[in-house]
Amino acid sequence: MKKYTIIALSVFMFTAFSSNITAQTRNKKTNTETTRTTTRTTTTRTKRTTPTRVSRTKVVYKKPQTKVVAVRSLPTSRRTLKHNGQTYHYVNNKFYRYNGGRYLPVKPVLGLRIRTLPIGFSTVVFSNRNYYLADGVYYHQINSEYEVVEPEVGMIVYELPDNYEKVQIDGLQLYESNNVLYEKVQVDGTRAYEVVGIIGD
């Protein structure tokens, strides 16, 4: 009789111990999932139907015309860049084209390369790639130079470039700078701007 009692007691204790281990393991997994959910970035945005590439004809600017300020001369420290048969002049983080005896500020075309990043640039990491942002222009490092590139849709920045403009596309208000479209969003309660499209011709 004592023998059976000891066996029954042993089985009971083993079962209780196993249940305790299972419960702890389950709780541990639940805690891990909770932590992962808590640390995940929450982005809130309005519903949109804006495609990645938008025709320029669909973009309505709040200010239909912007004043282009041409200059007669540029500092001698400027760099002359050639790309696809066109000549560009780069100075003080800005790009110019020579036309009719004056230098006109222009948006940099994709593929233009500079040797040194502009002063005050910021780094945006997206899809395990480093992008360098300055005055609304995105760069990617190619060997020892930095090439003008398009940002990826979904990238988040926390400040708009100084030269941004308000636009509307199919009734949706967005912001445009250097042909990049941004939408205002909330990231963990902080105001931010998400790249939602590129204006194409």
Side-chain angles (χ1 to χ4, degrees):
M1 184 70 179
K2 286 184 180 180
K3 192 176 193 181
Y4 290 119
T5 304
I6 291 172
I7 292 172
L9 191 57
S10 299
V11 170
F12 174 78
M13 289 180 66
F14 175 78
T15 304
F17 181 73
S18 298
S19 299
N20 190 30
I21 290 175
T22 304
Q24 286 179 4
T25 305
R26 191 180 304 118
N27 287 341
K28 191 173 183 181
K29 286 182 181 176
T30 304
N31 290 340
T32 304
E33 288 170 2
T34 303
T35 303
R36 193 178 301 129
T37 303
T38 304
T39 56
R40 184 181 298 149
T41 301
T42 304
T43 305
T44 307
R45 64 175 62 81
T46 55
K47 187 177 180 181
R48 64 169 186 271
T49 57
T50 307
T52 300
R53 194 159 294 278
V54 179
S55 171
R56 193 172 298 280
T57 58
K58 289 189 172 184
V59 182
V60 179
Y61 285 83
K62 186 172 182 181
K63 295 179 181 178
Q65 294 182 344
T66 56
K67 187 177 180 180
V68 177
V69 180
V71 294
R72 293 181 186 273
S73 62
L74 293 174
T76 55
S77 59
R78 71 178 182 268
R79 282 198 61 216
T80 300
L81 311 168
K82 291 195 178 285
H83 183 72
N84 289 342
Q86 301 290 334
T87 301
Y88 297 85
H89 304 279
Y90 176 72
V91 62
N92 296 331
N93 302 350
K94 297 190 183 332
F95 295 85
Y96 296 86
R97 288 279 313 277
Y98 187 74
N99 187 5
R102 295 185 178 224
Y103 293 92
L104 298 171
V106 295
K107 295 178 181 179
V109 295
L110 299 177
L112 268 176
R113 291 187 181 184
I114 57 177
R115 293 179 187 169
T116 307
L117 286 170
I119 296 171
F121 75 89
S122 60
T123 303
V124 181
V125 180
F126 189 80
S127 297
N128 295 321
R129 295 182 68 191
N130 286 340
Y131 290 84
Y132 304 99
L133 174 61
D135 295 329
V137 181
Y138 291 82
Y139 299 89
H140 184 67
Q141 187 169 5
I142 307 291
N143 297 322
S144 60
E145 295 183 306
Y146 299 91
E147 182 176 307
V148 176
V149 296
E150 288 182 342
E152 296 185 55
V153 170
M155 289 175 66
I156 299 288
V157 297
Y158 290 89
E159 289 183 9
L160 286 172
D162 291 337
N163 64 349
Y164 81 87
E165 294 188 64
K166 290 183 180 180
V167 299
Q168 279 199 345
I169 300 174
D170 297 330
L172 179 66
Q173 180 176 300
L174 300 172
Y175 304 89
E176 182 269 341
S177 172
N178 293 323
N179 293 329
V180 179
L181 294 168
Y182 299 87
E183 182 181 10
K184 183 160 57 175
V185 296
Q186 292 284 325
V187 178
D188 291 336
T190 302
R191 183 177 62 188
Y193 300 91
E194 180 179 354
V195 175
V196 294
I198 307 293
I199 298 176
D201 293 322

